[in-house]
């Protein structure tokens, strides 16, 4: 079969591979559509170290091709969604309420990290019963594909932010995760959502997904703008959806005493993140800093699919570009350069 | 001044009273509009015992007439909303996170219970800084009046129900509290909301406020209908918004193991509520039963006003009738009999 | 091999059975010691329906005899503890934070319910990596055996009770679960623990495990006695450790507004449990009623073993009697009749 | 009356002042004993800016001298304890569950910050009903004085750390707050408590208060030592009780994915605290960083007094030195220099 791989740091390509075989609890899925993620780009640039011919991709849906002997809920031909994170559900961390940290930090992240990813004619899913969900009839493959990472991560940013009903929320950066955090804040009862962004098409998407205000950080200090919008109080909750030192600092600065900073950005560089000591209340202002890695699992995916089935959110507005699988290198390069105002490129596998 | 009072059990009337005086932290408010509540009717029928010329009403907004010497945030002329529940914020229960239980069970409920209520030319509010909120310019008195009880109680039903993002929720009874619980469930991220109701206009309102399904209990056992809608699983969360033994039982029956039953109904009669032992999992199915009395306080009201200011909800659809203050006895009798499909009657005081 | 079984309702016996075989993730354990549980007695009396030659017992520790091909953390010869509840960790309920409810209400309870229990020469454990823990050197088999159910269930009663540091707790019934709830309340920071019991040896054990007061319900209404001890306030948290209608009612009556009733009793009889409407604050006093089925899993057992290793608790004080396996029927009958002031009987398998 | 004051940055002295007068809800207390706090020293060195003749001290108990007209629960002659933090209970932050942040960051901290402290013949307490507690007969003034700050802050470090029953905890620094955090961890059910300290007398106190291990950071990297003690896993919870960049970093490094870092140290210097990016799991390891300012209020103090009454903890072991009020400058200087292995100096006012 063909697979789109990271050949080595900085180099991608299409290579021929053997079709994977399922273990007793696993499934083999034939993808129909996939979405390229900025973290695929980080990986190719070496963020998690070198890899040799590692298949890329962790956002894909498709058709079950084969299942292991102990799989109970799926059979070949089923149309399914798969989380980007596929936890080991009996691991200590999962038992402790942190499945994404199975066995080690970020250990639930397997696709295109510790094993081949989804951008191939077939891909392997560990623990199918635990990590796969049937796509309901009213939900398209395109929509469903967003449950793998963007919906799950973005919404988690809001779910973890301890947003009071009618509370105020700032969401820093309106990439696809930030946009879904903006939408997630609305779905968690936020009374006022302030999006921080500078690119025009993303500002517009932010408004469509429910931002009441959009603050452009190129028009002045975003924290000052947020303070103006909140009568100097600061927000109840700030969501970091970029993964940069500056935005994390701004989150802390923009949050009121007793509030919560919820991080879903991937912090790829630098030895330290910096907590501004005074705005952090010298360690006593009861501002919590919480983090998350994309929640996975069949239950999570099933609930997100229900949100799509009931038209709670339309993530396909974020799909700015579409490509066939044989054009995936072009798609990847555009995503890497964020050219043509790309937000998310959809890949068709058939 | 004139006041609409409970003269004794079963008897109402308009009487002349002295205008109240504020203590050092209190305010006197001149109501502009108010809403009659079914619990006013319960009170007149003797639910909390006999009273002599007790002014009725706990849902009203208006203009500050006078404030005590230690009030800092309000002055005469301010347009304000006041919660139905006005806690003693330094009480033990409030310090423990349960302000509505100040000093005793339900002790935050003062209006038309342990002191005169709001249906008079003026009414007295304890601890103005703690219990009053300014109404923003974009919010009408009519809208704001719903924050006192209906929005706060109905939303609390959903906030306490531990609804997962994309989860399933059943809301039993679609009176004004139930309707706001239905809306609240949507605002808490519910993926599927099932309203239980039989009256046509309330079924329609339930759909407008976000119910995905409406189950009519006169067309069959509502729990069976809910089981059918949830593939036999039961719901993640059930909300009791009526205050009856049968609906509380049904909530427990309709909730899956690990789910939550959130009660906001006022249970006015009977020695016991009944937990069905088997469906409760013989005391081991991890179904929680939680309750609440309408959250009050300036912060709560301010956040609910923000929801109105940002058009998150339009509670005025529930106002089926309007009356002048001199017609309040007619309004009260209609509410008592639920005649003419009344949901909420608005009273104009000026 | 020999197994102590329920032959049918009301009848026990020792029968010959085939040694079980492990699936790919399972283990076969040879028990060294076990503890008879009152719920074994309930089962024989028909509480979960009829069974034919079902091996009894769910509290046992022992030596790993054999493991399946996919088991990673255990090998033959390991000395291990096993929870009474052995969840399916990839089930929907487990993913939702309720592993004891795997697949159905109480679905994590497999031993001596839906499959053979532990009172045999060998017993089968599903998902060894997920449900088994190594016993540390400093912990005896006798001590470790208490982690299976008594420590896990009793402590959970306290953990779920939302006990504030320095708060007041009442624990109804001082059987082995209640005694461990009393100890658990101390380990959760309770400032005053009131045990309710009438049997002398259990009252004494309650004091040893940390009760500050023991209330004898034969010397007057226990709720009144609790009110006297708490200056009429009621307790922050009440724990039901018996499974009776009367004690659940008393828990609600004894709990202050805003407090928590934590049930760990198995309610085996009657169509309903009764919530006293007025003391429940007519559904508005913010008294929560929560329940639990014994938490299981390798992490839970490991943490409980650590409590034993570090001498946080000595559960062996509850072992009032010891027997060899060939005397197990005598032990069972004594437990059934609670004769000779029996609390827990230990069975030696070798 | 006489008062021990900060005359200006770096300068202390005893001055004559007018006895304060109570507002309608306030009390005047005549201290019997007090404890000098390291934060008094920070204040004198300018940590919160310059002050002119500000009375120092926030840890004291005494006798009520006078109360305002609206005080209901106290009268002259009552023996009482007062929290170091005296919140405005009707403030927005208090209503939001963060009373220590009343009106502004750390706004509940009034003594020796925004108004005169307790080290005088009399001191003023705002909102007596909300912030004062009667000392039970069995509790000495000496013991009770520890509830003001050391018990409340140290225990809060543990209460916020989300310690699982049987979990592992590291407490960085064993000053009086750290020692009470160590004790607090035990009282929250920790299965293994690792204290980090180098001074001999504090290491010994740590063991007395319940540390299972004491790691000396002068004998090697404390994080490595903690990793060794936890089989390379890291701890479930780490508590920062010093207020230094290095210990906060070490807390994050020592905490497992999914764990919690609970800060109660006062971070007095530096522009930033540093989060080590990799050990923080690149912002995705679900390690939460939470903070607190000493919880105050009559309920909190009452519960802490109950812990003393029931002999749950003996804080007086930390009192290494005692002085009369006329020797307070000597006591202050010793505390400032931490000479003679001082831990806490007790001041007798009469
Ligand atoms: Zn992705
Ligand atoms: Zn009402
Ligand atoms: Zn048992
Ligand atoms: Zn202090």
């Amino acid at each position: 079969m063909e697979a789109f791989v990271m050949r080595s740091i900085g180099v991608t390509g299409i290579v021929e591979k053997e079709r994977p075989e399922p273990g007793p609890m696993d499934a083999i899925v034939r993808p129909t559509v996939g979405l390229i993620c900025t973290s695929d780009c980080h990986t190719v640039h070496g963020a998690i170290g070198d890899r040799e011919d590692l298949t890329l991709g962790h956002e894909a849906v498709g058709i079950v091709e084969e299942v292991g002997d102990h799989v109970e809920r799926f059979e070949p031909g089923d149309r399914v969604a798969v989380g980007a994170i596929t936890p080991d559900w009996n691991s200590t961390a999962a038992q402790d309420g942190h499945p994404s940290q199975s066995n080690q930090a970020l250990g639930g992240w397997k696709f295109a990290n510790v094993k081949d990813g989804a951008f191939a004619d077939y891909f392997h899913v560990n623990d199918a019963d635990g990590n796969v969900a049937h796509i309901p009839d009213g939900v398209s493959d395109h929509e469903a594909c967003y449950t793998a990472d963007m919906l799950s991560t973005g919404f988690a940013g809001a779910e973890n932010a301890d947003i009071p009903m009618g509370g105020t929320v700032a969401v820093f950066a309106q990439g696809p995760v930030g946009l879904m955090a903006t939408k997630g804040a609305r779905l968690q009862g936020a009374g006022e959502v302030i999006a921080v962004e500078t690119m025009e098409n993303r500002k517009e998407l932010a408004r469509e997904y429910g931002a009441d205000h959009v603050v452009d950080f190129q028009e002045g200090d975003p924290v000052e703008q947020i303070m103006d919008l909140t009568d100097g109080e600061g927000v109840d909750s700030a969501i970091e959806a970029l993964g940069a030192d500056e935005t994390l600092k701004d989150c802390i600065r923009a949050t009121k005493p007793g509030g919560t900073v919820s991080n879903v950005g991937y912090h790829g560089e630098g030895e330290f993140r910096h907590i501004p000591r005074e705005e952090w209340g010298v360690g006593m202002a009861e501002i919590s800093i919480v983090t998350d890695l994309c929640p996975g699992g069949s239950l999570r995916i099933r609930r997100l699919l229900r949100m799509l089935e009931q038209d709670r959110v339309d993530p396909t507005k974020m799909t700015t570009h579409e490509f066939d699988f044989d054009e995936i290198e072009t798609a990847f390069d555009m995503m890497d350069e964020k050219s043509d105002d790309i937000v998310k490129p959809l890949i068709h596998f058939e």
Side-chain angles (χ1 to χ4, degrees), chain A:
Chain A
M1 63 172 198
E2 293 200 312
F4 175 61
V5 304
M6 169 179 173
R7 305 224 59 166
S8 61
I9 289 180
V11 185
T12 60
I14 303 261
V15 302
E16 193 68 22
K17 291 204 175 188
E18 292 289 301
R19 211 209 73 175
E21 296 297 321
M25 296 177 66
D26 308 332
I28 304 303
V29 174
R30 176 167 49 84
T32 51
V33 299
L35 289 156
I36 297 181
C37 185
T38 298
S39 56
D40 291 313
C41 305
H42 289 320
T43 296
V44 170
H45 291 299
I48 57 174
D50 201 2
R51 296 289 191 280
E52 187 185 333
D53 288 348
L54 176 75
T55 305
L56 293 163
H58 56 265
E59 306 181 15
V61 302
I63 306 293
V64 172
E65 180 73 14
E66 188 184 346
V67 296
D69 290 345
H70 285 64
V71 172
E72 295 179 5
R73 298 177 212 157
F74 298 93
E75 57 186 351
D78 287 358
R79 193 167 69 103
V80 296
V82 182
I85 303 302
T86 51
D88 302 302
W89 287 103
N90 69 352
S91 65
T92 296
Q95 293 190 25
D96 211 17
H98 297 280
S100 293
Q101 314 299 327
S102 302
N103 298 313
Q104 63 175 333
L106 320 192
W109 175 23
K110 301 180 191 304
F111 289 130
N113 181 5
V114 297
K115 77 171 194 184
D116 279 332
F119 295 160
D121 292 328
Y122 299 95
F123 66 96
H124 172 277
V125 187
N126 63 298
D127 190 357
D129 286 335
N131 291 316
V132 176
H134 289 102
I135 303 175
D137 284 347
V139 177
S140 71
D141 286 10
H142 183 180
E143 290 173 288
C145 197
Y146 276 99
T147 63
D149 187 355
M150 299 298 99
L151 276 177
S152 189
T153 302
F155 282 5
E159 291 167 274
N160 297 338
D162 196 22
I163 303 171
M165 179 71 87
T168 51
V169 182
V171 184
F172 283 79
Q174 298 294 307
V177 166
L179 289 165
M180 288 304 94
T182 293
K183 181 67 190 178
R186 287 295 297 269
L187 291 166
Q188 291 288 291
E192 203 150 3
V193 180
I194 304 167
V196 181
E197 180 55 70
T198 193
M199 288 175 62
E200 281 310 316
N201 65 328
R202 293 177 180 218
K203 287 160 77 168
E204 193 175 324
L205 280 168
R207 283 195 194 87
E208 287 185 39
Y209 283 123
D212 300 291
H213 312 276
V214 181
V215 156
D216 188 329
F217 57 84
Q218 298 207 328
E219 294 173 3
D221 178 1
V223 175
E224 276 178 32
Q225 295 182 63
I226 290 167
M227 286 296 168
D228 285 349
L229 286 167
T230 57
D231 298 322
E233 271 194 355
V235 290
D236 291 301
S237 309
I239 303 175
E240 211 283 355
L242 183 64
D245 199 30
E246 209 52 47
T247 44
L248 183 66
K249 277 187 216 161
D250 281 353
C251 281
I252 295 165
R253 286 179 176 129
T255 300
K256 70 171 61 160
T260 300
V261 173
S262 170
N263 185 83
V264 281
Y266 171 96
H267 292 262
E269 289 175 10
E271 189 172 357
F272 297 108
R273 292 300 86 144
H274 292 78
I275 299 176
R277 185 185 61 85
E278 286 197 23
E279 289 93 336
W280 187 51
V282 303
M284 294 175 154
E286 303 173 22
I287 294 171
S288 297
I289 304 172
V290 302
T291 78
D292 210 347
L293 171 63
C294 176
S298 51
L299 175 66
R300 175 70 172 179
I301 301 299
R302 192 149 71 95
R303 285 178 171 158
L304 294 174
L305 288 167
R306 194 182 284 134
M307 296 299 274
L308 297 170
E309 192 181 10
Q310 299 291 348
D311 296 322
R312 298 297 200 260
V313 56
D314 176 8
T316 65
K317 291 181 197 168
M318 296 189 291
T319 304
T320 47
H321 297 71
E322 305 200 23
F323 301 87
D324 286 332
F325 184 36
D326 58 13
E327 305 167 305
I328 192 166
E329 288 193 89
T330 307
F332 180 86
D333 291 347
M334 287 185 67
M335 193 64 178
D336 196 19
E337 294 157 16
K338 297 285 178 295
S339 58
D340 195 31
D341 281 353
I342 198 167
V343 180
K344 281 295 263 192
L346 184 75
I347 309 300
H348 294 271
F349 284 82
E350 49 191 18

